Amino acid sequence: MTTAYLDRLSQQLDALAAAGRRRVTRPVSAADAVHVVRDGRMLLNVSSNDYLGLSRHPLLIERARAWAETMGVGATASRLVCGTLEAHATVEAKLAAFKGTEAALVLNSGYQANEAMLAALLMPEVAGRAPLVFVDRLAHASMHEGLKAAGVRQIRFRHNDMAHLEDLLRKREGEPGPRFIVTESVFSMDGDRADLPALCDLAERFGAFLYVDEAHATGVLGPEGRGPTCDPAVAGRVDMVMGTFGKALGGFGAYAACSAVLRDWLVNKAGGFIYSTAVPPPVMGAIDAALDLVPTLEAERARLHAHADRLRAALGAKGLDSCGSTTQIVPAVLGSEEAALSAMTALEEAGVLAVAIRPPTVPAGASRLRFALSAAHTDADMDRLIAVVEALA
């Protein structure tokens, strides 16, 4: 590697720093479900996606340990090389029942799942050379990357604007090629929700394949926490549901919930599944336990949403935009990168870990603090957080 190349890297990193966009990794140690220790100080963590506090639940830990003892700590290879372990078959059957679908498939991460699955679904041999792909402009980066990997042109509709999507679908009604609609049920940076019944209606009316990412909804919304795609008005009408285990379910990994034919296609064509070592048995044990627990956690979901309501009210009283949030993700839009970084520093000095989100993750001029709440937060934790927020300049 040449010195000139490393110099160019350093220059680009300096440019990111000057723009307030350079990222760094900062060590922490987890104290409990909602506290971390950094530089010897205990901080209240309001940035974690551990929405139900399951990452430290005794049942998940116990089952992870038990499956490690009986099946080992590693899956050793891709499932297409050494076979599917009992751990994977057990969880996929339970997951399909949980989501009310014919089949399910476990993958290694949400990013990998979206990228690999969309690329596989849009391969020319099944989608043709010019599929019409309509995607919410605020869909997660992994979804946009999957569409890039497929080599398709995105037709982006305004965020959650069903009238705009309908207009785009109608204008291309006479064009050849299959239609796909790609969105999230809960948007990770704004904390708002897609209108899934309307999306289902449009998909059915225009003959479109509907792909929904439920990463931030699984465990938190829908009947028994099964996600909004399991709501009665939507159940059975979404072609592909993607979700994750690393957020409300407290573990790691991702899934597809779909028909048996779609699952078989992913097994054969999704590179992220084919070429990756499978999820390890201890992780699968934790997922298995979480799937048992989630339907029983109605009180925890109610507490989580009550926390979010309180925080939104406090932000609104200060005149801060929370982007139409209706979920456990509550942004506070501050505008510039400098303002968001300054607020993050002020909160950390007050003992609260709240991360500044900056471009390119969010649009220019929309830098923010992104609060991600947990049912494990107590009322006293929320009192403390709100007092710190109210003290912001």
Side-chain angles (χ1 to χ4, degrees), residues 86-164:
E86 179 186 355
H88 302 109
T90 297
V91 168
E92 286 174 351
K94 186 175 289 187
L95 178 62
F98 177 77
K99 295 298 293 181
T101 55
E102 190 177 23
L105 183 69
V106 171
L107 296 98
N108 290 39
S109 77
Y111 190 101
Q112 177 214 48
N114 272 333
E115 187 175 39
M117 287 161 51
L118 284 167
L121 293 171
L122 291 163
M123 285 182 169
E125 53 261 51
V126 289
R129 291 289 173 187
L132 301 175
V133 182
F134 302 84
V135 56
D136 190 295
R137 65 179 298 273
L138 293 189
H140 193 267
S142 58
M143 302 168 85
H144 293 298
E145 289 301 317
L147 298 174
K148 287 181 187 177
V152 301
R153 184 176 73 87
Q154 297 183 33
I155 305 168
R156 297 191 182 187
F157 58 92
R158 290 188 292 269
H159 177 51
N160 274 343
D161 190 334
M162 296 298 97
H164 187 219

Side-chain angles (χ1 to χ4, degrees), residues 223-307:
E224 297 185 320
R226 298 172 192 272
T229 56
C230 292
D231 286 336
V234 177
R237 302 173 70 192
V238 177
D239 297 287
M240 175 69 75
V241 178
M242 170 271 176
T244 59
F245 304 116
K247 297 178 175 61
L249 272 66
F252 179 78
Y255 67 83
C258 55
S259 70
V261 169
L262 284 170
R263 181 190 185 277
D264 285 350
W265 180 253
L266 296 177
V267 167
N268 282 274
K269 293 294 183 177
F273 174 82
I274 297 168
Y275 302 113
S276 292
T277 297
V279 179
V283 176
M284 298 304 297
I287 295 169
D288 187 68
L291 289 171
D292 288 341
L293 280 172
V294 163
T296 72
L297 301 179
E298 287 301 315
E300 287 77 2
R301 281 185 282 275
R303 183 163 64 250
L304 175 63
H305 297 306
H307 287 340

Side-chain angles (χ1 to χ4, degrees), residues 6-288:
L6 293 176
D7 287 343
R8 287 196 295 273
L9 289 180
S10 293
Q11 291 166 9
Q12 290 298 313
L13 288 168
D14 289 344
L16 288 172
R21 297 184 184 183
R22 184 170 181 174
R23 274 100 171 136
V24 297
T25 56
R26 298 182 63 192
V28 298
S29 59
D32 57 36
V34 293
H35 293 88
V36 298
V37 177
R38 172 178 283 167
D39 299 329
R41 297 180 62 233
M42 183 78 73
L43 302 177
L44 176 65
N45 186 359
V46 290
S47 289
S48 165
N49 295 328
D50 186 13
Y51 301 133
L52 296 174
L54 294 184
S55 66
R56 287 176 167 258
H57 195 285
L59 184 61
L60 273 70
I61 295 169
E62 174 191 333
R63 198 163 302 174
R65 182 184 296 115
W67 285 29
E69 289 173 349
T70 58
M71 290 181 256
V73 298
T76 74
S78 162
R79 288 167 62 180
L80 297 182
V81 173
C82 288
T84 286
L85 298 176
E86 179 186 355
H88 302 109
T90 297
V91 168
E92 286 174 351
K94 186 175 289 187
L95 178 62
F98 177 77
K99 295 298 293 181
T101 55
E102 190 177 23
L105 183 69
V106 171
L107 296 98
N108 290 39
S109 77
Y111 190 101
Q112 177 214 48
N114 272 333
E115 187 175 39
M117 287 161 51
L118 284 167
L121 293 171
L122 291 163
M123 285 182 169
E125 53 261 51
V126 289
R129 291 289 173 187
L132 301 175
V133 182
F134 302 84
V135 56
D136 190 295
R137 65 179 298 273
L138 293 189
H140 193 267
S142 58
M143 302 168 85
H144 293 298
E145 289 301 317
L147 298 174
K148 287 181 187 177
V152 301
R153 184 176 73 87
Q154 297 183 33
I155 305 168
R156 297 191 182 187
F157 58 92
R158 290 188 292 269
H159 177 51
N160 274 343
D161 190 334
M162 296 298 97
H164 187 219
L165 173 58
E166 181 177 2
D167 184 56
L168 292 172
L169 286 162
R170 186 186 302 110
K171 285 179 177 177
R172 290 165 173 80
E173 204 164 3
E175 295 181 21
R179 276 79 173 140
F180 293 80
I181 298 173
V182 178
T183 190
E184 300 180 59
S185 57
V186 171
F187 290 84
S188 59
M189 290 299 114
D190 287 14
D192 57 346
R193 312 185 199 190
D195 186 345
L196 289 180
L199 284 162
C200 289
D201 290 345
L202 287 172
E204 290 163 2
R205 178 177 161 193
F206 290 95
F209 184 107
L210 181 55
Y211 182 107
V212 176
D213 177 330
E214 286 216 307
H216 293 274
T218 303
V220 173
L221 298 174
E224 297 185 320
R226 298 172 192 272
T229 56
C230 292
D231 286 336
V234 177
R237 302 173 70 192
V238 177
D239 297 287
M240 175 69 75
V241 178
M242 170 271 176
T244 59
F245 304 116
K247 297 178 175 61
L249 272 66
F252 179 78
Y255 67 83
C258 55
S259 70
V261 169
L262 284 170
R263 181 190 185 277
D264 285 350
W265 180 253
L266 296 177
V267 167
N268 282 274
K269 293 294 183 177
F273 174 82
I274 297 168
Y275 302 113
S276 292
T277 297
V279 179
V283 176
M284 298 304 297
I287 295 169
D288 187 68

Side-chain angles (χ1 to χ4, degrees), residues 23 47 188-189 335-337 340-341 344 354-363 366-371:
R23 274 100 171 136
S47 289
S188 59
M189 290 299 114
S336 69
E337 290 91 331
L341 289 169
M344 179 179 74
V355 175
I357 307 294
R358 296 156 285 159
T361 306
V362 294
S367 292
R368 65 195 63 183
L369 295 178
R370 175 188 179 271
F371 298 103

